[in-house]
Every structure is written in C-alpha cells, then in structure tokens.
Amino acid sequence: MSTTAENTAASSASGVPAEVRDAILTVSERARKARGELATARRSRKDETLQGMADALVENAPAILSANRQDVEEGRAKGTSEAMLDRLRLDEQRIGALAAALQELVALPDPVGNVVRGRDLPNGLHMTQLRVPLGVVGAIYEARPNVTVDIAGLALKSGNAVILRGGSAARHTNTVLIQILREQALAHGFDADIIQGIDEHGRDGATALMSTRGSVDVLVPRGGRELIQSVVTNAQVPVIETGEGNVHLFIDASAPVRMAVDIALNAKTQRVSVCNSAETLLIHAEAEEAGREVLRALSRAGVFLHVDERARGWLSAAAADSAQTATDEDWGTEYLALEMAVKTVGSLDEAMDHIRRWSTGHTEAIVTNDLANADRFVAEIDSAAVIVNASTRFTDGGQLGLGAEVGISTQKMHARGPMGLEELTTTKWVLRGQGQIRP
Amino acid sequence: MSTTAENTAASSASGVPAEVRDAILTVSERARKARGELATARRSRKDETLQGMADALVENAPAILSANRQDVEEGRAKGTSEAMLDRLRLDEQRIGALAAALQELVALPDPVGNVVRGRDLPNGLHMTQLRVPLGVVGAIYEARPNVTVDIAGLALKSGNAVILRGGSAARHTNTVLIQILREQALAHGFDADIIQGIDEHGRDGATALMSTRGSVDVLVPRGGRELIQSVVTNAQVPVIETGEGNVHLFIDASAPVRMAVDIALNAKTQRVSVCNSAETLLIHAEAEEAGREVLRALSRAGVFLHVDERARGWLSAAAADSAQTATDEDWGTEYLALEMAVKTVGSLDEAMDHIRRWSTGHTEAIVTNDLANADRFVAEIDSAAVIVNASTRFTDGGQLGLGAEVGISTQKMHARGPMGLEELTTTKWVLRGQGQIRP
C-alpha cells in the first residue's frame, strides 16, 4: 500500500485548502526521509547535538527575546490576559531554564537499542526485542515556548523526527527557536528536517497534520481540554491523550487530621494550573474533625468551595455563606484555579463509586490509616496514578525520577501516566538464524 | 465527565438504530461493571475457570457440533466456498484443540500485578509501576469459532471483560460457545457478563461497539484487510491493528544458494493464507544462481509468479511463458495464495527503498552472508519483525515462545508484533507515603 496515496485520500476529506494540505504532506515526507539517519545515530552524537542546542539558545538570547517581545506586544494589543502573557513571556533566566532542560536530557540514558527481551529459541534462532524510535512525532500545543524546546529535545534524544505546531500567539518566538535548533541539527551532521515547525500554516496546518496517517507515527496534543478533545476526535494519526486531570482526594474516616490538612492544601494550592492538582475533595462523614480542619485551611488559603449540605455544616458561618452548593457540573469540572468541589460520603465504596463516575483517570489519592481500605483503593481505582497518604502533585516525571516528560498520559494504550523518552519508542523483533525454516 | 453522556453523544452520530445503540451501550456498561472483580481476581481462580471452560467445551461437544452443522448448512445453502466452510467447520478433534488452547493459557504466567518498575524515592515515597488489565476488550472478527474461545480465554487470563462480535456465518456456533463460557464464569463465582456476545445485533451492533469510547478500552479487529480498515477508520475506541502482512524476502548477492531456496520455499508455501507468509521476493542482480534456483523451486511448488524482465530471463522457457509482468499493484498486494511478486535489484539500498515504499510493516527477511548488510538491514528496516537467514513464518507468538496471541500488531503504538497476555494490560503507578507533600 502506498503511503502517499493513503495520505492524499485522507487529507482531501478534511476540507483544508489544497496548498496547505500539500505543504504539510511535504513537511511530513521530509520528516520521514530525515528520520532514517537520526533513528540509528549513536547516543554520543545525539548528546553533542543537544549540548550544542543548549549553548546556542543562550548565545542567541537577544534574538529570542526580541521575537518574544513582538509576540507579547501583539498579544497585549489583542487584549490577552496577563496570566497568558506571563506563560508566553521569556527572559534571560527562562532561556537559561530552556537550555538547562536540554542539558538534563544529555544526562538521561538513551532508550534506543535497549533489549526488552532476548533469548535463543530451541531451533537456534537468536531472538531479541529491541527499543527503536517511533519515527515521526507531531506535537500540537498552546502558546508556551518552553514546550517547543522540551519536545524537540525529547524527540531528538529518542531518535524521532518532530513536527511542531505551537500556539499562534507564540509564533515569532517559536520561529526563532526552531531556526536555532535546526541550525544545530545541521551543524552536527543531521538533516535539519528532523525538526520542523508548521505555525505559518495556522489552524489548517494543524488539521492537515492530523490526517498524515502513514507519515506521522504519533500526535501528542499538549494543552487544555478543548485542544486535546479536538485532536482526539479529528485525528486519523494515532494520538496520545495527555493531561486532563479531574483529580480526587479522599479523606477516609481514619485519616490523621494533620496529614489530611497538609495533603489537601498541597494538592489544591501548591500550583493550581496543573493537571495533577486536586479538584474534588471527598470526605468520609465520620471524619468530621479532619473535614472541619481541612475545609477551614482551604478557605483560609482562598479556595472557593462548592459543597454538599453536610460539608456546609462543617464550615464557619462566613465560609458557609460564601460557599456554593455543588452540582453535577462541579463534579465534572477541572477548575485549574483556587476552587474545589467537596462531597461527604458514607463509605469507601461511595467514594470509589463517585470517582469511577467522574474521574478522568489521571490521579486519585486517599488519606487513611486503615490498611484494608488503602489496599482496596489501590486495587480498585482504575487511574494512571493511585496515591496513598501523599499529595496528588507527585504524579510528575521529574518527581518520580523518570526525567523530562512529553506530558502525562490519561489513556491506557501505549503510555499511561508520565511519558518520558521510553514512551517515544516502540519495539522491533529481530531474529538471526542460520537458515531455519518452519517444519 | 460522565462516561454515559459521552457514549450517547458519540453513538448518536453513527446512524445506528436507537435500539441497537442502547443495547450495545447496556452490554458495554454491564462489561464495565462485571470487570471489577475479574480485574483483581487471583490467578488460581482465573486458572480454575479456564480449566472448567476447557472441560465444559469437551463435555458439551454434541451441542456445539449441532449448532455448527446448522451454520455450515446455512453457509452451503448461501453458496459459501468450501475453503470458507472448512474454516467454519468443527469436529471432535477441533473442539479438543479449542479446549487444549485454554489449558495452555492455564500454564502461562499471569501478567497482572507484575512490577514493571519500583523504587523508594528520596522523600520516602514508595513507588511501583504495576501491570493491570486494560478493562473491557472488544473483538470484531470473521467466522472462525476458535477465535471466540481464544480471545475469551486470553481476556479472562489477563483480567479483562470481553465483548465478542464474530462473523454472522458462525452465529449459531458462537452462541453456544459463549453460553458455555458464561456458565463456567458463573460457576466460578464471576459475573457472567465478563464474556458477552453481540452477534444478534449484526453489523449495526459492530458499528455501535466502535462508538463506545469510555466504556470499551480497546478494540481488536482480527481478519482480512477490509474488516481491519473498516474498524480503524470508523472506531472512536482505541484500536490495535493486526495482521496485514505484505512480507518481503530479500536474497542478497552473497546468499548461500541452498539456504535461499529453503527459506523462500518455506516463507511462501508452508502455509499461504497467513500474514507472515512472504508475498514479494527481492533478488540481488548478482545472485543469479540463487535467483534461478529459487524461482525454479517456487515454480515447481506451483507458485504463480509476477516478475520483472531480468527475473523472467532466469525462468525456464515454460515458466517464462506463464509468468506475468509485475506491476505496482503486485508490489502492493498481500496474495495469501500460491502467488508471488519477484523483483531484481541492483543493491541492498534499492531493496530497502522498495520495502520502505510497499511494506505494511509486519515482517521482512534477508538471506545474506554479508555481516555489514545484515546489520544495516536490521537497523534500517522499520517493521515489527526483521529476520536474518530464517523464514518469515517465525513471526508468531507460539514460535517465539510467547504463548497464545490475540493477533500480530502491525502498528507501533502499545503493541508491535505478536500480542499476547501482556499486551492486554496497561500499567498503574502506585505511590505509598506517610504524608509527603511537594515543597
């Protein structure tokens, strides 16, 4: 079956202008061609390239900052919020952090070539299952320039060509960053097309990229719920879903009060805009003291609460007045803000039923001193990460000692939880014989 | 987010009658509910259930054979080919083979609970990454009753509920088989709905099953190209592609003549209807003696050849007369018959370029005595299995010592190559702490 014919058929269905479709097809075919040498490159050469990229980012800081100022000014003129502008903005220190992230990749082991299984078969065939790069990785993400550098670095280290589609609000910055990365790829003897950006083609470019089945091996959307849902729904290329975290924290009847307060505060308030922060608090009705203390601490920390009637009774008069009554919409919301839904439950089973119904499968935690309940929670909750007596904020590649991550997968296929270098690989079975045939 | 709401939205778009949509939704929700206990069941109980199923199949042979006769008679009345009827037909011996396949599963290790990674983190958190069942597996396949038993057994052993949609031609047989399997599930204390069939809902049922995103965790289509393409294109549920094998065998300039003949004959003729049999033969122009001997052996074995001009010159006069000239269509065809495309090439690179263009990524083999060429072939060919000096027929879970297989994946995500019990699992990260929070 011809890959080119397939792509053309798939893309023509999408309603994208022919010139954009053709441009993206060309980009994906260039990536496919460029990837061959990268896929088999030895680690030292990939590490030298990453180091060269890190150095070049720092050396070219003035050009990056100039392009970034242009993005920020255009954003401000369009009325972009200060919070969004802050995510977009770079300074010398942030550029240093981009370079440091690439240097951390140098230190991580290269998964390519690792032997997953290997043995001699009875007939003398020598069998090995080896890690190999996926091939061409497409990334669609929102306007955070660090994602451009992070994903390009992870792709390079794992031997994959990458096609980057960042948010249009970071267009000028991304253009300069990608140019610098490509120059370093070239300087280390690779085809520059191992890293390509397609921001110039706008939304149509992203749509066309989703149709490049056969050329692009996997698409990773990274950003908010709408972006991810749009890619999952529309892509013909395999997608790894990341990030949406409607994370639950359950305070069991036996929860130590101090521990419950510390963990709830940390899970909700330590950083509110990230996927592993807690969104719904479930409290056992018998954990009244812990419940009262936790709710008081959250209120003091400025968390707006959506509560059921029993939880309202545990609030101070002032807090009870300002709290809203929780609805089904609250149970299903990932606030990503100083806001939390609170439900009291009569049992562990009621807590787990609620989680089963509303969870996005990212992370759920229990605070308990009951061993049987801890074991049941771990065994029966079907999420990427299940945590006993610790903050939900630990579902993170860096925290778990796995190194840099492409994102946190909330799906079950291929990758689940933090996705690092290994998750950007597949395996290949290699058989070496001396003329063996099947009898 | 409510799973039920999502399903309804997804299904309503598919044009399936509301009553079928609702019936499949009910089936998938029953499976979801039933899976909980199976997911955490200990191995001994699953093995006893598999043994009970094996015994029950043998005990109920008369009922199975009677239903099977009905399918065969209906098929014959509709003019089904004898080859197809033979795939459908059961006898005492074949029922014994079904039971034996379940007994083999009893002997295989249970992947559930295996620790993939585990360590204590510097902050005292104890981290483990464990294998857990995927959840609910949907299987859509053609009229081979053994697939019903194989997939139900693999799903049970790996802790997954399963929804089976077999070909309508095996309807009566599958109904009886599924009834027997369900009775044994029940007899061993499981909810019978860990195994459900949906044949009664026909094609609409299969279409509705493809829309049960959120209830069904993975769909495995097993059968011919059209079936697989239809599922890949239409499913909103994640799919594992299996089976299509446009398999290449390359006879290099240095190939030992005897080895080339043995391997080519075995790869093409040992069993023609399977995905790991060879479809295209590439011969180095300098391997004339090997080429002549291989083509003579294939012709004698009754293989119809589609050749280029140089290869035609290597055929006997009679064989040259009957051979067709190969076209692009031949390079892209999986014959699954005593038929083969033959191309001569000037170099290893030309052979690999041809493979890159036409391969489905299943299996490619090289016969060579040149170490550098063997290494390049292994490194540069991007297929699930790459074989040096042995038959392509070894890409098979049983042959590789991996045990029973759900199918052979030709995609790169999640599973690649033979898919056994482990490939029906995902992982879960478990963190156990004593109150740790992120600083």
Side-chain angles (χ1 to χ4, degrees), chain A residues 361-376:
Chain A
H362 188 297
T363 298
E364 329 297 338
I366 184 173
V367 182
T368 189
N369 193 38
D370 185 309
L371 181 56
N373 283 3
D375 285 348
R376 280 196 61 203

Side-chain angles (χ1 to χ4, degrees), chain A residues 25 111 214 226 233 236 239 242 267 296 318 377 386 405:
Chain A
L25 198 56
E226 272 180 51
T233 311
Q236 275 125 43
V239 173
T242 66
R296 183 188 310 181
F377 194 82
V386 184
E405 64 186 30

Side-chain angles (χ1 to χ4, degrees), chain A residues 25-46:
Chain A
L25 198 56
T26 303
V27 164
S28 67
E29 284 173 358
R30 278 192 189 144
R32 195 123 222 105
K33 188 157 165 289
R35 72 163 285 253
E37 201 190 344
L38 174 58
T40 55
R42 57 192 64 168
R43 172 176 173 178
S44 57
R45 192 169 153 215
K46 295 189 285 188

